[in-house]
Amino acid sequence: MKFLDNWNRATVQWTRDLTPTIRLIELLPAGRAPAWTPGSHIRVRVAIDGRAETRCYSLIDDGSADGRFHIAVKLAENGLGGSRAMWALKPGDAIEIAEPDNHFELGFGAPSYTLLAGGVGITPLVSMARFLMRTARPVRLFHAVRNREEAAFADLLQSWLGDRFQLQVESESGRLDLAKILADIEPEGELYVCGPIGMLEAVRKAWEVAGRSMALLRYESFASSGHHAKLPFTVALPRFGCEIQVSAQQSLLSALEEAGIDILADCRRGECGLCALDILSCDTPVDHRDVFLSDRQKTENRKICACVSRPVGGRIAIDTAYRGLVPAGPITNRQ
Ligand code: FES
């Protein structure tokens, strides 16, 4: 099920490669751009193998600029195809976008702000850093990358924050000292994290172990990271009396939608939990890539967030809690 959105047309103004795999894209929306806040994202419609799909990208600006949208897209050669479609855009191309939305809002009363990013997870934190710097709030930003060439925005952030910005290149200096970063945050200070699922889980655990309030930890994921490689699998839906083949390049959610099965979904990146479905059985481990389900729920394995999580091959049987529309005629997909 798609929520009612205000979709609008935008034109690609220019593109610029920040690193060999991260491309900055400027979009000019038709009409007046609505206001947005730091941490916001926009959704874009992309065509993948003839299917219309939706992808989310954080806005780099903090909303104080000229109404143009800037997004940074990491090319994932083995991904589901969204980044390849975005990288194919040229200046002058038209694209459909939804109005900015924010699931990763910055609080305004904290005594200090610590921002922590892994890889391309830096994108929503750029807008936050800019806002916090402009409003003279105490901020530190840590960015972990595997190689120096992945360090998009490092020069910009260095110029804004000076020694309050730390770039950690893991191939040169090893991993960030998470325990030290957390220990240096004052009791009421807020921590904002965006990165791969492993980083989010490690931070969440360390935060809990330190006895800190979960209300002071905010995080956003990117949907492409998991614990296992993506493999094709079969999904069975006893309610509909059918089985669907899901390719390695497709999400469970998009396969169900393509088969005409109406599923509730919103963020499409494992954060809101709207797409969580009941698992009836599964003959392989489930790669839970969301940040919505708790560790206990992931261990119990009774729910799966269809937008990002998937079994590691094999066969999974699910039930759709949302009864929604029952497709007319036999269910098929394009596998
Ligand atoms: S749509 Fe939000 S978690 Fe799947």
Side-chain angles (χ1 to χ4, degrees):
M1 176 181 180
K2 278 92 178 169
F3 284 81
L4 293 177
D5 286 318
N6 286 326
W7 287 88
N8 202 350
R9 205 176 144 90
T11 308
V12 177
Q13 297 298 290
W14 48 258
T15 69
R16 178 157 54 90
D17 290 350
L18 301 176
T19 75
T21 58
I22 299 178
R23 178 167 291 177
L24 189 62
I25 300 175
E26 182 180 87
L27 300 171
L28 179 62
R32 192 162 170 206
W36 74 91
T37 50
S40 294
H41 65 270
I42 55 168
R43 281 181 288 163
V44 305
R45 283 200 175 124
V46 290
I48 301 171
D49 298 333
R51 299 187 307 268
E53 297 229 3
T54 303
R55 293 292 186 270
C56 293
Y57 295 103
S58 297
L59 291 171
I60 303 298
D61 310 286
D62 64 357
S64 63
D66 60 1
R68 293 169 186 241
F69 297 139
H70 295 94
I71 57 175
V73 181
K74 181 174 172 66
L75 180 63
E77 288 290 3
N78 298 318
L80 301 179
S83 67
R84 289 195 297 278
M86 294 300 292
W87 269 58
L89 291 172
K90 300 278 182 300
D93 285 350
I95 185 167
E96 277 189 284
I97 62 171
E99 288 188 355
D101 197 1
N102 199 343
H103 300 157
F104 192 34
E105 291 198 29
L106 201 50
F108 293 109
S112 68
Y113 297 83
T114 303
L115 314 180
L116 174 58
V120 75
I122 190 68
T123 53
L125 302 188
V126 175
S127 66
M128 291 182 177
R130 178 174 170 150
F131 175 84
L132 293 167
M133 178 202 64
R134 274 198 309 107
T135 54
R137 288 174 162 90
V139 55
R140 296 183 308 151
L141 195 162
F142 300 88
H143 186 196
V145 293
R146 273 172 298 194
N147 304 299
R148 193 162 287 275
E149 63 178 23
E150 293 177 356
F153 302 111
D155 292 345
L156 183 66
L157 292 166
Q158 186 78 53
S159 71
W160 288 350
L161 301 175
D163 61 7
R164 290 174 294 153
F165 170 64
Q166 181 183 327
L167 176 68
Q168 185 80 8
V169 181
E170 293 179 351
S171 60
E172 299 171 10
S173 341
R175 298 199 157 193
L176 276 174
D177 186 344
L178 209 50
K180 170 149 183 24
I181 292 172
L182 266 52
D184 287 346
I185 298 174
E186 57 191 284
E188 295 304 312
E190 293 182 357
L191 175 61
Y192 294 77
V193 190
C194 185
I197 189 77
M199 170 185 259
L200 298 186
E201 288 176 345
V203 171
R204 197 163 63 176
K205 278 201 182 91
W207 194 258
E208 272 174 7
V209 167
R212 289 180 177 263
S213 164
M214 293 307 287
L216 302 177
L217 170 64
R218 303 184 188 186
Y219 47 79
E220 186 168 70
S221 64
F222 42 84
S224 58
S225 62
H227 302 284
H228 301 270
K230 288 177 180 163
L231 297 174
F233 62 94
T234 301
V235 56
L237 296 107
R239 173 178 299 278
F240 298 111
C242 71
E243 288 193 351
I244 297 168
Q245 305 304 316
V246 185
S247 74
Q249 286 74 40
Q250 200 173 18
S251 70
L252 172 56
L253 177 62
S254 65
L256 294 172
E257 289 178 332
E258 188 182 327
I261 295 168
D262 214 13
I263 303 288
L264 282 172
D266 185 23
C267 71
R268 291 172 186 266
R269 47 189 197 182
E271 290 160 10
C272 71
L274 268 183
C275 68
L277 302 174
D278 291 335
I279 298 175
L280 303 177
S281 65
C282 188
D283 60 11
T284 63
V286 174
D287 191 4
H288 288 286
R289 297 170 171 230
D290 64 281
V291 290
F292 175 76
L293 299 178
S294 66
D295 290 346
R296 182 176 56 76
Q297 287 174 306
K298 290 177 181 175
T299 305
E300 287 174 354
N301 231 19
R302 290 193 193 142
K303 294 269 184 194
I304 181 168
C305 287
C307 62
V308 294
S309 299
R310 55 195 299 124
V312 188
R315 180 179 183 278
I316 187 170
I318 59 166
D319 192 23
T320 55
Y322 175 64
R323 301 303 182 250
L325 300 175
V326 177
I331 297 175
T332 57
N333 73 351
R334 296 181 190 168
Q335 304 311 306

